[in-house]
PDB file of all heavy atoms in Angstrom:
ATOM      1  N   PRO H   1      89.877  97.223 111.844  1.00 90.00           N
ATOM      2  CA  PRO H   1      89.094  97.102 110.641  1.00 90.00           C
ATOM      3  C   PRO H   1      88.491  95.591 110.470  1.00 90.00           C
ATOM      4  O   PRO H   1      89.321  94.585 110.689  1.00 90.00           O
ATOM      5  CB  PRO H   1      90.019  97.339 109.496  1.00 90.00           C
ATOM      6  CG  PRO H   1      91.437  97.102 110.147  1.00 90.00           C
ATOM      7  CD  PRO H   1      91.374  97.367 111.581  1.00 90.00           C
ATOM      8  N   LYS H   2      87.391  95.383 110.099  1.00 94.00           N
ATOM      9  CA  LYS H   2      86.731  94.120 109.831  1.00 94.00           C
ATOM     10  C   LYS H   2      85.844  94.315 108.539  1.00 94.00           C
ATOM     11  O   LYS H   2      85.474  95.469 108.177  1.00 94.00           O
ATOM     12  CB  LYS H   2      85.785  93.679 111.022  1.00 94.00           C
ATOM     13  CG  LYS H   2      86.458  93.741 112.404  1.00 94.00           C
ATOM     14  CD  LYS H   2      87.359  92.467 112.443  1.00 94.00           C
ATOM     15  CE  LYS H   2      87.959  92.425 113.843  1.00 94.00           C
ATOM     16  NZ  LYS H   2      88.804  91.301 114.129  1.00 94.00           N
ATOM     17  N   VAL H   3      85.290  93.144 108.124  1.00 98.00           N
ATOM     18  CA  VAL H   3      84.305  93.227 107.138  1.00 98.00           C
ATOM     19  C   VAL H   3      82.976  92.589 107.633  1.00 98.00           C
ATOM     20  O   VAL H   3      83.127  91.574 108.411  1.00 98.00           O
ATOM     21  CB  VAL H   3      84.552  92.576 105.758  1.00 98.00           C
ATOM     22  CG1 VAL H   3      85.774  93.332 105.114  1.00 98.00           C
ATOM     23  CG2 VAL H   3      85.104  91.173 105.941  1.00 98.00           C
ATOM     24  N   LYS H   4      81.900  93.003 107.231  1.00 98.00           N
ATOM     25  CA  LYS H   4      80.633  92.345 107.580  1.00 98.00           C
ATOM     26  C   LYS H   4      79.893  91.932 106.287  1.00 98.00           C
ATOM     27  O   LYS H   4      79.777  92.738 105.390  1.00 98.00           O
ATOM     28  CB  LYS H   4      79.775  93.374 108.366  1.00 98.00           C
ATOM     29  CG  LYS H   4      78.425  92.818 108.679  1.00 98.00           C
ATOM     30  CD  LYS H   4      77.507  93.572 109.716  1.00 98.00           C
ATOM     31  CE  LYS H   4      76.788  94.660 108.974  1.00 98.00           C
ATOM     32  NZ  LYS H   4      75.795  95.440 109.854  1.00 98.00           N
ATOM     33  N   ILE H   5      79.531  90.675 106.205  1.00 98.00           N
ATOM     34  CA  ILE H   5      78.690  90.196 105.123  1.00 98.00           C
ATOM     35  C   ILE H   5      77.329  89.927 105.697  1.00 98.00           C
ATOM     36  O   ILE H   5      77.125  89.598 106.729  1.00 98.00           O
ATOM     37  CB  ILE H   5      79.249  89.082 104.448  1.00 98.00           C
ATOM     38  CG1 ILE H   5      79.314  87.821 105.355  1.00 98.00           C
ATOM     39  CG2 ILE H   5      80.634  89.318 103.828  1.00 98.00           C
ATOM     40  CD1 ILE H   5      79.562  86.518 104.643  1.00 98.00           C
ATOM     41  N   GLU H   6      76.346  90.203 104.755  1.00 98.00           N
ATOM     42  CA  GLU H   6      74.987  89.891 105.070  1.00 98.00           C
ATOM     43  C   GLU H   6      74.407  89.140 103.917  1.00 98.00           C
ATOM     44  O   GLU H   6      74.576  89.379 102.776  1.00 98.00           O
ATOM     45  CB  GLU H   6      74.182  91.206 105.166  1.00 98.00           C
ATOM     46  CG  GLU H   6      74.594  92.125 106.398  1.00 98.00           C
ATOM     47  CD  GLU H   6      73.861  93.365 106.421  1.00 98.00           C
ATOM     48  OE1 GLU H   6      72.775  93.432 106.831  1.00 98.00           O
ATOM     49  OE2 GLU H   6      74.661  94.401 105.961  1.00 98.00           O
ATOM     50  N   VAL H   7      73.736  87.951 104.276  1.00 97.00           N
ATOM     51  CA  VAL H   7      73.128  87.204 103.267  1.00 97.00           C
ATOM     52  C   VAL H   7      71.784  86.509 103.739  1.00 97.00           C
ATOM     53  O   VAL H   7      71.753  86.166 104.869  1.00 97.00           O
ATOM     54  CB  VAL H   7      74.086  86.022 102.814  1.00 97.00           C
ATOM     55  CG1 VAL H   7      74.544  85.155 104.001  1.00 97.00           C
ATOM     56  CG2 VAL H   7      73.506  85.213 101.715  1.00 97.00           C
ATOM     57  N   VAL H   8      70.738  86.668 102.938  1.00 96.00           N
ATOM     58  CA  VAL H   8      69.467  86.095 103.267  1.00 96.00           C
ATOM     59  C   VAL H   8      69.311  84.722 102.441  1.00 96.00           C
ATOM     60  O   VAL H   8      69.541  84.670 101.242  1.00 96.00           O
ATOM     61  CB  VAL H   8      68.404  86.994 102.969  1.00 96.00           C
ATOM     62  CG1 VAL H   8      66.948  86.349 103.180  1.00 96.00           C
ATOM     63  CG2 VAL H   8      68.514  88.243 103.839  1.00 96.00           C
ATOM     64  N   ILE H   9      69.064  83.630 103.242  1.00 94.00           N
ATOM     65  CA  ILE H   9      69.032  82.314 102.627  1.00 94.00           C
ATOM     66  C   ILE H   9      67.766  81.541 103.103  1.00 94.00           C
ATOM     67  O   ILE H   9      67.145  81.864 104.058  1.00 94.00           O
ATOM     68  CB  ILE H   9      70.244  81.460 102.856  1.00 94.00           C
ATOM     69  CG1 ILE H   9      70.415  81.350 104.391  1.00 94.00           C
ATOM     70  CG2 ILE H   9      71.508  81.977 102.321  1.00 94.00           C
ATOM     71  CD1 ILE H   9      71.575  80.347 104.786  1.00 94.00           C
ATOM     72  N   ALA H  10      67.531  80.476 102.375  1.00 93.00           N
ATOM     73  CA  ALA H  10      66.427  79.606 102.738  1.00 93.00           C
ATOM     74  C   ALA H  10      66.789  78.879 104.114  1.00 93.00           C
ATOM     75  O   ALA H  10      68.030  78.498 104.192  1.00 93.00           O
ATOM     76  CB  ALA H  10      66.058  78.562 101.714  1.00 93.00           C
ATOM     77  N   GLU H  11      65.808  78.503 104.952  1.00 94.00           N
ATOM     78  CA  GLU H  11      66.360  77.777 106.208  1.00 94.00           C
ATOM     79  C   GLU H  11      67.096  76.492 106.034  1.00 94.00           C
ATOM     80  O   GLU H  11      67.910  76.107 106.724  1.00 94.00           O
ATOM     81  CB  GLU H  11      65.026  77.505 107.145  1.00 94.00           C
ATOM     82  CG  GLU H  11      64.557  78.883 107.694  1.00 94.00           C
ATOM     83  CD  GLU H  11      63.627  78.586 108.852  1.00 94.00           C
ATOM     84  OE1 GLU H  11      63.873  77.632 109.678  1.00 94.00           O
ATOM     85  OE2 GLU H  11      62.563  79.325 108.829  1.00 94.00           O
ATOM     86  N   ASP H  12      66.692  75.735 104.889  1.00 94.00           N
ATOM     87  CA  ASP H  12      67.441  74.483 104.683  1.00 94.00           C
ATOM     88  C   ASP H  12      68.914  74.633 104.329  1.00 94.00           C
ATOM     89  O   ASP H  12      69.658  73.610 104.244  1.00 94.00           O
ATOM     90  CB  ASP H  12      66.682  73.661 103.547  1.00 94.00           C
ATOM     91  CG  ASP H  12      66.659  74.256 102.299  1.00 94.00           C
ATOM     92  OD1 ASP H  12      66.772  75.498 102.205  1.00 94.00           O
ATOM     93  OD2 ASP H  12      66.415  73.614 101.304  1.00 94.00           O
ATOM     94  N   MET H  13      69.290  75.778 103.929  1.00 95.00           N
ATOM     95  CA  MET H  13      70.689  76.045 103.706  1.00 95.00           C
ATOM     96  C   MET H  13      71.526  76.617 104.869  1.00 95.00           C
ATOM     97  O   MET H  13      72.688  76.767 104.722  1.00 95.00           O
ATOM     98  CB  MET H  13      70.881  77.046 102.430  1.00 95.00           C
ATOM     99  CG  MET H  13      70.448  76.551 101.154  1.00 95.00           C
ATOM    100  SD  MET H  13      70.702  77.611  99.843  1.00 95.00           S
ATOM    101  CE  MET H  13      72.483  77.724  99.884  1.00 95.00           C
ATOM    102  N   LEU H  14      70.842  76.968 105.970  1.00 97.00           N
ATOM    103  CA  LEU H  14      71.525  77.536 106.995  1.00 97.00           C
ATOM    104  C   LEU H  14      72.696  76.952 107.517  1.00 97.00           C
ATOM    105  O   LEU H  14      73.803  77.566 107.627  1.00 97.00           O
ATOM    106  CB  LEU H  14      70.480  77.936 108.140  1.00 97.00           C
ATOM    107  CG  LEU H  14      70.968  78.608 109.377  1.00 97.00           C
ATOM    108  CD1 LEU H  14      71.449  80.051 108.979  1.00 97.00           C
ATOM    109  CD2 LEU H  14      69.980  78.713 110.545  1.00 97.00           C
ATOM    110  N   GLU H  15      72.572  75.663 107.898  1.00 97.00           N
ATOM    111  CA  GLU H  15      73.688  74.956 108.441  1.00 97.00           C
ATOM    112  C   GLU H  15      74.920  74.922 107.537  1.00 97.00           C
ATOM    113  O   GLU H  15      76.024  75.223 107.962  1.00 97.00           O
ATOM    114  CB  GLU H  15      73.282  73.533 108.997  1.00 97.00           C
ATOM    115  CG  GLU H  15      74.281  72.966 109.836  1.00 97.00           C
ATOM    116  CD  GLU H  15      73.668  71.655 110.425  1.00 97.00           C
ATOM    117  OE1 GLU H  15      72.554  71.488 110.725  1.00 97.00           O
ATOM    118  OE2 GLU H  15      74.655  70.734 110.474  1.00 97.00           O
ATOM    119  N   ARG H  16      74.707  74.672 106.345  1.00 97.00           N
ATOM    120  CA  ARG H  16      75.743  74.550 105.360  1.00 97.00           C
ATOM    121  C   ARG H  16      76.443  75.900 105.182  1.00 97.00           C
ATOM    122  O   ARG H  16      77.605  76.023 105.029  1.00 97.00           O
ATOM    123  CB  ARG H  16      75.315  74.082 103.948  1.00 97.00           C
ATOM    124  CG  ARG H  16      74.926  72.652 103.916  1.00 97.00           C
ATOM    125  CD  ARG H  16      74.602  72.129 102.629  1.00 97.00           C
ATOM    126  NE  ARG H  16      73.327  72.793 102.244  1.00 97.00           N
ATOM    127  CZ  ARG H  16      72.973  72.946 100.933  1.00 97.00           C
ATOM    128  NH1 ARG H  16      73.750  72.655 100.040  1.00 97.00           N
ATOM    129  NH2 ARG H  16      71.846  73.497 100.691  1.00 97.00           N
ATOM    130  N   ALA H  17      75.577  77.103 105.234  1.00 97.00           N
ATOM    131  CA  ALA H  17      76.168  78.384 104.980  1.00 97.00           C
ATOM    132  C   ALA H  17      77.012  78.754 106.156  1.00 97.00           C
ATOM    133  O   ALA H  17      78.195  79.316 106.035  1.00 97.00           O
ATOM    134  CB  ALA H  17      75.063  79.346 104.737  1.00 97.00           C
ATOM    135  N   VAL H  18      76.480  78.535 107.377  1.00 98.00           N
ATOM    136  CA  VAL H  18      77.298  78.845 108.626  1.00 98.00           C
ATOM    137  C   VAL H  18      78.562  78.091 108.672  1.00 98.00           C
ATOM    138  O   VAL H  18      79.718  78.618 108.982  1.00 98.00           O
ATOM    139  CB  VAL H  18      76.337  78.697 109.809  1.00 98.00           C
ATOM    140  CG1 VAL H  18      77.243  78.664 111.125  1.00 98.00           C
ATOM    141  CG2 VAL H  18      75.162  79.691 109.955  1.00 98.00           C
ATOM    142  N   ASP H  19      78.490  76.757 108.291  1.00 97.00           N
ATOM    143  CA  ASP H  19      79.645  75.960 108.426  1.00 97.00           C
ATOM    144  C   ASP H  19      80.786  76.416 107.377  1.00 97.00           C
ATOM    145  O   ASP H  19      81.914  76.521 107.604  1.00 97.00           O
ATOM    146  CB  ASP H  19      79.387  74.492 107.996  1.00 97.00           C
ATOM    147  CG  ASP H  19      78.695  73.751 109.205  1.00 97.00           C
ATOM    148  OD1 ASP H  19      78.704  74.372 110.293  1.00 97.00           O
ATOM    149  OD2 ASP H  19      78.067  72.704 108.980  1.00 97.00           O
ATOM    150  N   ALA H  20      80.259  76.842 106.211  1.00 97.00           N
ATOM    151  CA  ALA H  20      81.168  77.349 105.141  1.00 97.00           C
ATOM    152  C   ALA H  20      81.890  78.613 105.641  1.00 97.00           C
ATOM    153  O   ALA H  20      83.051  78.856 105.403  1.00 97.00           O
ATOM    154  CB  ALA H  20      80.441  77.683 103.859  1.00 97.00           C
ATOM    155  N   ILE H  21      81.084  79.594 106.234  1.00 98.00           N
ATOM    156  CA  ILE H  21      81.625  80.869 106.776  1.00 98.00           C
ATOM    157  C   ILE H  21      82.681  80.606 107.861  1.00 98.00           C
ATOM    158  O   ILE H  21      83.870  81.058 107.817  1.00 98.00           O
ATOM    159  CB  ILE H  21      80.647  81.826 107.271  1.00 98.00           C
ATOM    160  CG1 ILE H  21      79.644  82.220 106.167  1.00 98.00           C
ATOM    161  CG2 ILE H  21      81.135  82.955 107.965  1.00 98.00           C
ATOM    162  CD1 ILE H  21      78.470  82.968 106.626  1.00 98.00           C
ATOM    163  N   VAL H  22      82.396  79.650 108.759  1.00 98.00           N
ATOM    164  CA  VAL H  22      83.373  79.378 109.860  1.00 98.00           C
ATOM    165  C   VAL H  22      84.668  78.792 109.351  1.00 98.00           C
ATOM    166  O   VAL H  22      85.612  79.240 109.740  1.00 98.00           O
ATOM    167  CB  VAL H  22      82.602  78.331 110.854  1.00 98.00           C
ATOM    168  CG1 VAL H  22      83.552  77.823 111.882  1.00 98.00           C
ATOM    169  CG2 VAL H  22      81.523  79.113 111.588  1.00 98.00           C
ATOM    170  N   LYS H  23      84.519  77.873 108.508  1.00 97.00           N
ATOM    171  CA  LYS H  23      85.606  77.158 107.901  1.00 97.00           C
ATOM    172  C   LYS H  23      86.610  78.170 107.151  1.00 97.00           C
ATOM    173  O   LYS H  23      87.804  78.094 107.167  1.00 97.00           O
ATOM    174  CB  LYS H  23      85.293  75.939 107.058  1.00 97.00           C
ATOM    175  CG  LYS H  23      84.844  74.719 107.770  1.00 97.00           C
ATOM    176  CD  LYS H  23      84.395  73.612 106.957  1.00 97.00           C
ATOM    177  CE  LYS H  23      83.790  72.568 107.806  1.00 97.00           C
ATOM    178  NZ  LYS H  23      83.175  71.535 107.036  1.00 97.00           N
ATOM    179  N   ALA H  24      85.988  79.088 106.402  1.00 98.00           N
ATOM    180  CA  ALA H  24      86.625  80.003 105.537  1.00 98.00           C
ATOM    181  C   ALA H  24      87.150  81.158 106.305  1.00 98.00           C
ATOM    182  O   ALA H  24      88.399  81.640 106.065  1.00 98.00           O
ATOM    183  CB  ALA H  24      85.750  80.486 104.391  1.00 98.00           C
ATOM    184  N   ALA H  25      86.626  81.588 107.401  1.00 97.00           N
ATOM    185  CA  ALA H  25      87.047  82.752 108.186  1.00 97.00           C
ATOM    186  C   ALA H  25      87.997  82.456 109.160  1.00 97.00           C
ATOM    187  O   ALA H  25      88.613  83.306 109.739  1.00 97.00           O
ATOM    188  CB  ALA H  25      85.750  83.561 108.552  1.00 97.00           C
ATOM    189  N   ARG H  26      88.021  81.248 109.699  1.00 97.00           N
ATOM    190  CA  ARG H  26      88.804  80.901 110.855  1.00 97.00           C
ATOM    191  C   ARG H  26      90.307  80.916 110.682  1.00 97.00           C
ATOM    192  O   ARG H  26      90.837  80.446 109.759  1.00 97.00           O
ATOM    193  CB  ARG H  26      88.397  79.425 111.406  1.00 97.00           C
ATOM    194  CG  ARG H  26      89.127  79.064 112.653  1.00 97.00           C
ATOM    195  CD  ARG H  26      88.781  77.704 113.097  1.00 97.00           C
ATOM    196  NE  ARG H  26      87.523  77.899 113.747  1.00 97.00           N
ATOM    197  CZ  ARG H  26      86.619  76.832 113.872  1.00 97.00           C
ATOM    198  NH1 ARG H  26      86.817  75.672 113.227  1.00 97.00           N
ATOM    199  NH2 ARG H  26      85.535  76.966 114.534  1.00 97.00           N
ATOM    200  N   THR H  27      90.917  81.595 111.471  1.00 94.00           N
ATOM    201  CA  THR H  27      92.464  81.591 111.606  1.00 94.00           C
ATOM    202  C   THR H  27      92.921  80.864 112.887  1.00 94.00           C
ATOM    203  O   THR H  27      94.036  80.545 112.965  1.00 94.00           O
ATOM    204  CB  THR H  27      93.062  83.067 111.605  1.00 94.00           C
ATOM    205  OG1 THR H  27      92.707  83.674 112.804  1.00 94.00           O
ATOM    206  CG2 THR H  27      92.540  83.852 110.452  1.00 94.00           C
ATOM    207  N   GLY H  28      92.020  80.805 113.917  1.00 93.00           N
ATOM    208  CA  GLY H  28      92.497  80.205 115.089  1.00 93.00           C
ATOM    209  C   GLY H  28      93.000  81.209 116.080  1.00 93.00           C
ATOM    210  O   GLY H  28      93.450  80.819 117.160  1.00 93.00           O
ATOM    211  N   LYS H  29      93.014  82.452 115.694  1.00 90.00           N
ATOM    212  CA  LYS H  29      93.571  83.462 116.544  1.00 90.00           C
ATOM    213  C   LYS H  29      92.479  84.336 116.987  1.00 90.00           C
ATOM    214  O   LYS H  29      91.317  84.497 116.473  1.00 90.00           O
ATOM    215  CB  LYS H  29      94.650  84.436 115.835  1.00 90.00           C
ATOM    216  CG  LYS H  29      95.784  83.479 115.450  1.00 90.00           C
ATOM    217  CD  LYS H  29      96.959  84.382 114.733  1.00 90.00           C
ATOM    218  CE  LYS H  29      98.100  83.498 114.487  1.00 90.00           C
ATOM    219  NZ  LYS H  29      98.720  83.735 113.264  1.00 90.00           N
ATOM    220  N   ILE H  30      92.613  85.140 118.062  1.00 86.00           N
ATOM    221  CA  ILE H  30      91.750  86.134 118.710  1.00 86.00           C
ATOM    222  C   ILE H  30      91.307  87.147 117.577  1.00 86.00           C
ATOM    223  O   ILE H  30      92.224  87.490 116.774  1.00 86.00           O
ATOM    224  CB  ILE H  30      92.140  86.798 119.875  1.00 86.00           C
ATOM    225  CG1 ILE H  30      91.145  87.472 120.716  1.00 86.00           C
ATOM    226  CG2 ILE H  30      93.336  87.688 119.610  1.00 86.00           C
ATOM    227  CD1 ILE H  30      91.440  87.809 122.101  1.00 86.00           C
ATOM    228  N   GLY H  31      90.000  87.461 117.471  1.00 86.00           N
ATOM    229  CA  GLY H  31      89.596  88.444 116.509  1.00 86.00           C
ATOM    230  C   GLY H  31      89.032  87.817 115.255  1.00 86.00           C
ATOM    231  O   GLY H  31      88.862  88.534 114.365  1.00 86.00           O
ATOM    232  N   ASP H  32      88.855  86.447 115.246  1.00 92.00           N
ATOM    233  CA  ASP H  32      88.243  85.853 114.017  1.00 92.00           C
ATOM    234  C   ASP H  32      86.955  86.304 113.646  1.00 92.00           C
ATOM    235  O   ASP H  32      86.583  86.240 112.584  1.00 92.00           O
ATOM    236  CB  ASP H  32      88.301  84.404 114.180  1.00 92.00           C
ATOM    237  CG  ASP H  32      89.637  83.678 113.871  1.00 92.00           C
ATOM    238  OD1 ASP H  32      90.464  84.435 113.223  1.00 92.00           O
ATOM    239  OD2 ASP H  32      89.814  82.552 114.101  1.00 92.00           O
ATOM    240  N   GLY H  33      86.157  86.716 114.710  1.00 93.00           N
ATOM    241  CA  GLY H  33      84.837  87.409 114.299  1.00 93.00           C
ATOM    242  C   GLY H  33      83.635  86.695 114.889  1.00 93.00           C
ATOM    243  O   GLY H  33      83.720  85.755 115.775  1.00 93.00           O
ATOM    244  N   LYS H  34      82.461  87.097 114.483  1.00 96.00           N
ATOM    245  CA  LYS H  34      81.116  86.477 115.046  1.00 96.00           C
ATOM    246  C   LYS H  34      80.304  86.284 113.872  1.00 96.00           C
ATOM    247  O   LYS H  34      80.366  86.945 112.825  1.00 96.00           O
ATOM    248  CB  LYS H  34      80.525  87.443 115.990  1.00 96.00           C
ATOM    249  CG  LYS H  34      81.382  87.703 117.269  1.00 96.00           C
ATOM    250  CD  LYS H  34      80.551  86.914 118.350  1.00 96.00           C
ATOM    251  CE  LYS H  34      81.174  87.330 119.754  1.00 96.00           C
ATOM    252  NZ  LYS H  34      82.376  87.786 119.936  1.00 96.00           N
ATOM    253  N   ILE H  35      79.275  85.443 114.097  1.00 98.00           N
ATOM    254  CA  ILE H  35      78.181  85.200 113.149  1.00 98.00           C
ATOM    255  C   ILE H  35      76.781  85.364 113.943  1.00 98.00           C
ATOM    256  O   ILE H  35      76.733  84.804 115.016  1.00 98.00           O
ATOM    257  CB  ILE H  35      78.230  83.767 112.500  1.00 98.00           C
ATOM    258  CG1 ILE H  35      79.474  83.588 111.637  1.00 98.00           C
ATOM    259  CG2 ILE H  35      77.020  83.562 111.629  1.00 98.00           C
ATOM    260  CD1 ILE H  35      79.679  82.166 111.218  1.00 98.00           C
ATOM    261  N   PHE H  36      75.906  86.157 113.333  1.00 98.00           N
ATOM    262  CA  PHE H  36      74.673  86.304 113.946  1.00 98.00           C
ATOM    263  C   PHE H  36      73.552  85.887 112.982  1.00 98.00           C
ATOM    264  O   PHE H  36      73.650  86.060 111.646  1.00 98.00           O
ATOM    265  CB  PHE H  36      74.385  87.810 114.146  1.00 98.00           C
ATOM    266  CG  PHE H  36      75.454  88.437 115.118  1.00 98.00           C
ATOM    267  CD1 PHE H  36      76.582  89.148 114.615  1.00 98.00           C
ATOM    268  CD2 PHE H  36      75.410  88.383 116.453  1.00 98.00           C
ATOM    269  CE1 PHE H  36      77.471  89.772 115.313  1.00 98.00           C
ATOM    270  CE2 PHE H  36      76.349  88.914 117.341  1.00 98.00           C
ATOM    271  CZ  PHE H  36      77.369  89.578 116.687  1.00 98.00           C
ATOM    272  N   VAL H  37      72.497  85.092 113.531  1.00 98.00           N
ATOM    273  CA  VAL H  37      71.568  84.579 112.559  1.00 98.00           C
ATOM    274  C   VAL H  37      70.209  85.144 113.140  1.00 98.00           C
ATOM    275  O   VAL H  37      69.862  84.872 114.266  1.00 98.00           O
ATOM    276  CB  VAL H  37      71.575  82.984 112.532  1.00 98.00           C
ATOM    277  CG1 VAL H  37      70.430  82.475 111.702  1.00 98.00           C
ATOM    278  CG2 VAL H  37      72.866  82.473 112.068  1.00 98.00           C
ATOM    279  N   THR H  38      69.433  85.691 112.255  1.00 98.00           N
ATOM    280  CA  THR H  38      68.067  86.240 112.676  1.00 98.00           C
ATOM    281  C   THR H  38      67.088  85.725 111.598  1.00 98.00           C
ATOM    282  O   THR H  38      67.338  85.295 110.430  1.00 98.00           O
ATOM    283  CB  THR H  38      68.158  87.669 112.719  1.00 98.00           C
ATOM    284  OG1 THR H  38      68.559  88.231 111.391  1.00 98.00           O
ATOM    285  CG2 THR H  38      68.989  88.266 113.760  1.00 98.00           C
ATOM    286  N   SER H  39      65.832  85.719 111.982  1.00 97.00           N
ATOM    287  CA  SER H  39      64.687  85.263 111.072  1.00 97.00           C
ATOM    288  C   SER H  39      64.335  86.516 110.219  1.00 97.00           C
ATOM    289  O   SER H  39      64.464  87.558 110.555  1.00 97.00           O
ATOM    290  CB  SER H  39      63.516  84.894 111.969  1.00 97.00           C
ATOM    291  OG  SER H  39      63.845  83.696 112.514  1.00 97.00           O
TER     292      SER H  39
END
C-alpha cells in the first residue's frame, strides 16, 4: 500500500515543493517512494 498525491503548481514553486515532499516523506528505508514531474 502507498499513497499518491498529485499537485499542479507554478514553475517558480517547483523546487520548493519537491524539496518539501522529499524531506517530509523520507524515512531512509527502502520503499520511500518516487516523485514524477511533468509539464
Side-chain angles (χ1 to χ4, degrees):
K2 304 285 182 182
V3 293
K4 178 170 84 169
I5 63 165
E6 298 173 79
V7 60
V8 176
I9 57 171
E11 285 194 46
D12 61 340
M13 289 186 66
L14 178 63
E15 194 172 323
R16 288 185 293 153
V18 169
D19 288 345
I21 294 168
V22 168
K23 287 177 185 167
R26 177 179 286 151
T27 67
K29 297 184 176 140
I30 195 166
D32 273 353
K34 294 253 184 349
I35 298 174
F36 304 97
V37 178
T38 55
S39 293

